[in-house]
């Protein structure tokens, strides 16, 4: 209604202006412009008056303002319709040229000269340096002429031999020649610098061989040879507990092989009896006596020969005075009444015998004892290998006396 009243009033005003001032307005072009402006205002005013007022939705207004001014999205063409630039074909892989085989008529041997770029070099390096891979393949690394000869004499299979100087290879040419003919041993010549890098020894001897670990068949063969020579293995199992020094463990195994003992058990937590330092400390003892390594205390009872399980005695070599006071302890020279089989547990110099060993000792009741070696005042203990040597040879003497008394 308000819009209608305003419309009629404004039309009357315009009509009045037109009637009384038409002559004056028409005389001036500026006045005609004012009339036109008035007419435009009228049209605009009454044109907008027909619009209806609607309330504004704030959320809708914000949404429209948010997307205002954005460019419309261009639809992406399907993957199938897009043309990718053609890639160059891969270069053909060139197979490495194998190293030539050198036939040495002087040594009567065949070997290959390896370079650093040869892929076989990295394969051999991984085998030598990775204990995990050696354990999986049941292989050992033997360094030095004497130890290599000892391994071959004990019947171990040589997989590969690495050398750096021809003069070093000449020292073992007879044994290596037999191994190459019988088992197909591979021989490789590598630079001296590489061989030093691969070696775990301070002064590498220049000869390194990869052997299979001693098999039960090979150990049985050695046992038969010992029996033929009159050295029957004693009914003694040496159990190594907390032996962390490879040289000491190697010396222990060497003493056990010299006696000889029935077997050596290396419990979980000791060092590896097959690493280079332990092998050198053992001087070939690992090749002549059965070794069970990484044995838990729960599995120890399974290592006892079944025929002697009912009459098995357990001895703990203890140098700690406090521990001796809490257990039945006797002088090693006073041992009497050995069993059909005997376990001698010996600990490391730093950590000693563990509590697990004493718990195992309690399982056999009166058949378990602690033994010690009397020492001069001020001397706490002996080297573990020296102490074991005294104990084992005393046990051998007692076993011999016991056998003579029965006869």
């Amino acid at each position: 209604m308000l819009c209608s009243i305003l419309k009629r009033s404004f039309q009357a005003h315009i009509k009045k202006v037109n009637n009384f001032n038409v002559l004056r307005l028409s005389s001036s072009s500026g006045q005609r412009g004012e009339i036109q402006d008035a007419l435009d205002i009228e049209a605009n005013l009454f044109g907008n008056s027909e619009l209806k007022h609607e309330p504004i939705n704030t959320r809708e207004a914000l949404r429209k303002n948010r997307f205002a001014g954005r460019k419309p999205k261009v639809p992406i063409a399907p993957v199938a319709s897009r043309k990718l630039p053609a890639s160059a074909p891969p270069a053909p892989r060139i197979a490495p040229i194998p190293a030539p085989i050198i036939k040495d008529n002087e040594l009567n041997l065949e070997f290959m000269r390896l370079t650093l770029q040869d892929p076989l070099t990295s394969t051999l390096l991984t085998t030598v340096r990775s204990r995990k891979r050696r354990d999986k393949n049941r292989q050992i690394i033997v360094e030095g002429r004497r130890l290599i000869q000892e391994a071959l004499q004990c019947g171990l299979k040589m997989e590969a031999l690495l050398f750096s100087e021809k003069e070093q290879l000449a020292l073992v040419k007879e044994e290596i020649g037999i191994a190459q003919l019988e088992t197909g041993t591979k021989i490789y010549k590598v630079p001296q610098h590489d061989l030093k890098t691969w070696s775990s020894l301070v002064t590498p001897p220049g000869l390194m061989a990869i052997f299979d670990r001693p098999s039960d068949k090979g150990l049985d063969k050695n046992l038969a040879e010992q029996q033929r020579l009159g050295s029957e293995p004693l009914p003694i199992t040496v159990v190594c507990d907390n032996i962390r020094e490879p040289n000491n463990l190697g010396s222990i195994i060497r003493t056990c092989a010299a006696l000889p003992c029935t077997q050596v058990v290396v419990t979980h937590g000791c060092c590896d009896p097959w690493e280079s330092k332990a092998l050198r400390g053992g001087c070939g003892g690992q090749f002549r006596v059965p070794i069970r390594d990484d044995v838990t205390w729960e599995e120890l009872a399974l290592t006892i020969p079944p025929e002697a399980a009912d009459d098995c005695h357990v001895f703990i070599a203890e140098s700690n005075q406090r521990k001796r006071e809490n257990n039945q302890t006797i002088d090693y020279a006073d041992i009497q009444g050995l069993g059909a089989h005997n376990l001698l547990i010996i600990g490391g110099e730093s950590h000693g015998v563990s509590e697990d060993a004493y718990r195992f000792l309690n399982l056999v009741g009166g058949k378990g004892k602690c033994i010690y070696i009397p020492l001069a005042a001020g001397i706490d203990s002996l080297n573990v290998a020296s102490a074991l040597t005294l104990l084992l040879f005393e046990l051998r003497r007692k076993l011999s006396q016991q056998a003579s008394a029965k006869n």
Side-chain angles (χ1 to χ4, degrees), residues 11 143 244 331 340 352:
Q11 289 175 345
E143 296 188 63
R244 310 291 175 83
D331 189 320

Side-chain angles (χ1 to χ4, degrees), residues 309-382:
D310 294 335
D311 188 23
C312 182
H313 291 218
V314 180
F315 301 95
I316 289 181
E318 185 58 81
S319 60
N320 190 304
Q321 179 66 32
R322 181 181 58 82
K323 290 185 178 181
R324 293 205 305 261
E325 293 174 353
N326 298 331
N327 297 277
Q328 182 183 359
T329 309
I330 60 174
D331 189 320
Y332 81 106
D334 297 332
I335 296 176
Q336 299 295 333
L338 297 174
H341 196 81
N342 304 273
L343 265 65
L344 176 58
I345 303 174
I346 188 161
E349 297 177 24
S350 301
H351 301 85
V353 179
S354 65
E355 294 300 323
D356 291 323
Y358 281 97
R359 282 192 286 269
F360 184 84
L361 179 72
N362 294 331
L363 296 177
V364 297
K367 296 180 181 179
K369 295 181 179 63
C370 282
I371 57 177
Y372 71 98
I373 301 173
L375 301 174
I379 304 300
D380 294 333
S381 63
L382 293 173

Side-chain angles (χ1 to χ4, degrees), residues 14-324:
I14 292 301
K15 185 177 180 180
K16 183 177 180 180
V17 170
N18 290 335
N19 291 333
F20 291 101
N21 299 315
V22 62
L23 295 175
R24 189 176 52 178
L25 290 173
S26 60
S27 64
S28 174
S29 61
Q31 290 176 346
R32 286 197 301 269
E34 291 179 1
I35 294 174
Q36 185 64 38
D37 290 342
L39 293 175
D40 293 339
I41 292 173
E42 177 189 7
N44 187 34
L45 176 62
F46 295 112
N48 292 335
S49 64
E50 300 298 330
L51 298 176
K52 294 183 179 180
H53 172 72
E54 294 182 358
I56 298 174
N57 189 325
T58 306
R59 179 175 297 179
E60 185 68 18
L62 291 175
R63 190 186 68 81
K64 291 181 179 180
N65 292 336
R66 178 183 176 186
F67 295 100
R70 289 192 179 183
K71 296 181 179 179
K73 292 184 178 180
V74 178
I76 300 176
V79 177
S81 63
R82 286 184 292 172
K83 294 183 179 180
L84 299 177
S87 59
R93 178 175 294 181
I94 302 175
I97 301 175
I101 297 178
I102 300 174
K103 295 183 179 181
D104 193 303
N105 295 326
E106 182 182 353
L107 299 178
N108 197 23
L109 294 173
E110 295 181 355
F111 60 87
M112 298 171 59
R113 182 181 287 108
L114 297 182
T115 62
L116 188 61
Q117 292 77 19
D118 197 307
L120 185 57
T121 303
S122 60
T123 302
L124 289 172
L125 176 61
T126 305
T127 302
V128 171
R129 300 300 296 272
S130 172
R131 177 183 174 182
K132 183 177 181 181
R133 182 167 180 174
R134 294 198 308 269
D135 290 345
K136 180 180 178 180
N137 298 331
R138 294 194 58 79
Q139 293 177 332
I140 56 176
I141 304 301
V142 179
E143 296 188 63
R145 174 187 60 84
R146 184 175 179 180
L147 203 56
I148 290 175
Q149 290 175 330
E150 188 76 17
L152 291 172
Q153 184 180 352
C154 293
L156 272 67
K157 181 182 177 183
M158 178 189 288
E159 296 290 344
L161 175 73
L162 294 86
F163 73 98
S164 57
E165 301 294 338
K166 185 177 176 180
E167 292 76 12
Q168 298 164 344
L169 182 60
L171 298 175
V172 292
K173 63 178 182 179
E174 288 82 7
E175 297 88 344
I176 301 302
I178 296 173
Q180 193 169 56
L181 288 175
E182 294 181 351
T183 60
T185 300
K186 303 296 184 182
I187 306 176
Y188 303 101
K189 187 179 188 303
V190 298
Q192 178 68 16
H193 178 270
D194 292 347
L195 205 59
K196 287 183 179 180
T197 304
W198 297 3
S199 176
S200 60
L201 304 178
V202 177
T203 306
L207 286 174
M208 180 183 294
I210 303 174
F211 279 93
D212 290 344
R213 291 188 184 181
S215 62
D216 293 337
K217 183 178 180 180
L219 292 172
D220 291 341
K221 181 180 178 181
N222 291 332
L223 177 60
E225 182 67 16
Q226 291 174 0
Q227 291 174 344
R228 187 181 66 83
L229 297 176
S231 57
E232 184 79 18
L234 297 176
I236 299 174
T237 293
V238 174
V239 181
C240 299
D241 183 21
N242 284 331
I243 307 294
R244 310 291 175 83
E245 177 58 42
N247 288 326
N248 283 341
L249 183 56
S251 298
I252 289 172
I253 296 173
R254 181 182 183 182
T255 302
C256 294
L259 212 64
C261 293
T262 299
Q263 62 183 345
V264 178
V265 174
V266 182
T267 59
H268 180 74
C270 294
C271 58
D272 183 11
W274 302 107
E275 70 170 350
S276 293
K277 291 183 179 179
L279 288 170
R280 292 179 68 83
C283 294
Q286 284 90 337
F287 313 147
R288 298 184 180 276
V289 62
I291 298 175
R292 300 174 183 267
D293 61 318
D294 202 26
V295 177
T296 64
W297 288 98
E298 291 76 12
E299 300 169 341
L300 181 58
L302 301 177
T303 65
I304 301 173
E307 63 275 8
D310 294 335
D311 188 23
C312 182
H313 291 218
V314 180
F315 301 95
I316 289 181
E318 185 58 81
S319 60
N320 190 304
Q321 179 66 32
R322 181 181 58 82
K323 290 185 178 181
R324 293 205 305 261

Side-chain angles (χ1 to χ4, degrees), residues 2-16 42 46:
L2 178 61
C3 292
S4 300
I5 295 173
L6 289 173
K7 184 177 181 180
R8 288 194 297 270
S9 298
F10 193 79
Q11 289 175 345
H13 173 73
I14 292 301
K15 185 177 180 180
K16 183 177 180 180
E42 177 189 7
F46 295 112

